Amino acid sequence: MNAMPTAVLLTAPAAVPLLVAAAYALTGTRTPRPAPVREGVRHPVNVGAPVLVAEEPGPQQPAERYPAAWAGLVSPAAILLCGSLLAVGVLDEGPLSAYSGLLRADALTAWMLLVVGTVALIACGSAPAHLAGERAAGRASDRTTWRYHVLVQAFLAAMCLAVVTANLGVLWVAIEATTIVTAFLVGHRRTRASVEAAWKYVVICSAGIALAFLGTVLIYYAARQAGIAEAWALDWPTLVARADRLDPAVSRLGITLVVLGFGTKAGLIPLHAWLPDAHSQAPAPVSALMSGVLLSVAFAAILRYRLIADAALGADFTRVLLAGIALLTLALAAGLLLAQRDYKRMLAYSSMEHMSLIALAAAIGSQLALSAALLHIAGHGLAKSVAFCASGRILQLTGTVKIGRVRGLLARAPASAGLFGLAVVALMAFPPFSLFASELGIARAGFLAGSGLAWVTAVALLLVLVAFAALAARTAHMLLGPAPAPPTGPEATAMWPLALGLIACAALGVGLGPLTDLLHTAAQAIGGD
């Protein structure tokens, strides 16, 4: 592939969302019209401070009234196109690079771009209807809607930059950028709970990202001490090639800090407490992006560092570290799922469960395990994005996130409830969905890896069964029973992205087709034997 097309394909996944964000920002600079003040209602005024009054609640306006909201689909389409073309180029020619190696694409890069693009397509396709419902309920205005679109596009750009860069310093900056952008999205509704969740998210993730920064500095120091030139001391392929020269003590401390730091953004113990609050308070499409791909992008960074660690320290170090974190996270998630009474927080704890399974697969480290982990990343992203987007519709319909107050959804809103139920079925790893194949692959790889990892895998499967039971019982409570209200009207406009996500998840479970070679090559790129 020529240098110019390669540079365009590596730049576009981050550049196109930034251009769309700029277009939204320029379009949304209009002065919002003042909201009418009803007679007999006094509004406290703070002199000199801007006052934002929500629009009057009224009948839900169709999403088509805001056609500019659909412009957000340009970015997922561009990401998917670039990911597909890069996948073809990588399989034909090997890793591709541009800008003196600053941006680089291997099979893992192409796989992650395809996952990000697909989940973004679901989230951005669901956003117009979700935001129309928020405006109709008086919880959003035109101004806050434009701000939402700008932030979501910037969020996509930051995740894509983290995926395509080969420089570990730029990787850290990109993941830190996701924290800054999504903090405003978590607090989008400006309620007390959402603002508290946003601050909690900022504080905990900043602590985690600070640990990752210290780890990155230590790896840079070890590289410079090993004689690697300053310009290449954070270049991932260079560090992998010369990892045997790195000081073991410095590398061990640096890798530990990096795993703990990026593990924070991946929802792993010990700095995981932001996840249920942030995912439950963010708008549903944002929760879909955070759970569906942000966690996986952060873990992809760990997979990059794991290859350096294995070459510098041997495989046992990261195996013990990741297996221990995976089991602790899975045990905590299973226990909290049993006690959960909030369906959005239930989905958030389910994300911790699935990320711990991916961490366990990374600890096993075989070709089968890493292939299963990457398939699990894709399947989890698809199923969880559908579940969160459907939960947003359920919240607008019922007005509550309490599981005990939601009954008879299948009778009341069959489309939304059916898609939510199928998404939870996929998350419980029922066939034909891809999570069944990936969890089976992880279990098989664990039992083949030796007695120590076999016992860890057995314990993990028992904890997964606990999580399975909790998800099944709470979802059944929500979906079944008599409807407390009449059925809703047609829901076809908001449902097509969710149906598309479930179809894709089932298709991956039936057969990978043209993605088979890409999946196996990606697993080899991160150390699969």
Side-chain angles (χ1 to χ4, degrees), residues 401-471:
V401 293
K402 299 298 182 184
I403 295 173
R405 298 179 184 176
V406 180
R407 290 285 287 170
L409 278 176
L410 281 173
R412 185 177 180 185
S416 299
L419 290 168
F420 179 81
L422 287 174
V424 174
V425 166
L427 292 171
M428 292 189 295
F430 274 105
F433 297 104
S434 63
L435 291 168
F436 171 75
S438 59
E439 289 192 15
L440 188 63
I442 293 171
R444 183 184 173 195
F447 288 123
L448 291 174
S451 58
L453 284 172
W455 279 106
V456 171
T457 304
V459 173
L461 290 178
L462 289 175
L463 293 172
V464 167
L465 287 177
V466 174
F468 176 101
L471 282 171

Side-chain angles (χ1 to χ4, degrees), residues 84-85 107 144 189 204 246 316-317 329 376 386 391 406 411 420 511:
S84 301
L85 294 176
T144 58
R189 295 178 69 175
I204 295 177
L246 302 181
D316 289 341
F317 175 73
T329 305
H376 203 86
V386 173
S391 74
V406 180
F420 179 81

Side-chain angles (χ1 to χ4, degrees), residues 161-251:
L161 178 59
V163 168
V164 300
T165 186
N167 186 284
L168 299 180
V170 177
L171 171 65
W172 179 88
V173 170
I175 293 182
E176 171 65 3
T178 64
T179 303
I180 297 170
V181 172
T182 49
F184 293 100
L185 288 168
V186 170
H188 174 75
R189 295 178 69 175
R190 296 188 176 184
T191 63
R192 179 173 180 175
S194 65
V195 172
E196 180 182 343
W199 277 109
K200 187 175 184 179
Y201 173 60
V202 168
V203 171
I204 295 177
C205 286
S206 294
I209 213 71
L211 293 177
F213 176 75
L214 291 175
T216 303
V217 169
L218 287 174
I219 295 299
Y220 175 82
Y221 171 78
R224 295 291 289 128
Q225 291 297 108
I228 300 175
E230 181 179 351
W232 302 99
L234 286 177
D235 181 67
W236 177 73
T238 302
L239 288 172
V240 172
R242 304 182 185 179
D244 57 335
R245 303 183 188 178
L246 302 181
D247 181 85
V250 176
S251 299

Side-chain angles (χ1 to χ4, degrees), residues 22-93:
Y24 272 124
L26 291 173
T27 308
T29 52
R30 339 173 263 175
T31 304
R33 65 191 164 120
V37 179
R38 292 173 292 181
E39 292 185 6
V41 179
R42 295 185 178 181
H43 295 269
V45 178
N46 183 8
V47 177
V51 178
L52 177 63
V53 182
E55 296 176 355
E56 285 292 314
Q60 182 166 340
Q61 301 295 332
E64 289 80 0
R65 180 181 167 184
Y66 302 88
W70 296 102
L73 291 174
V74 172
S75 297
I79 295 168
L80 281 172
L81 177 61
C82 292
S84 301
L85 294 176
L86 286 172
V88 173
V90 165
L91 291 176
D92 286 345
E93 305 176 22

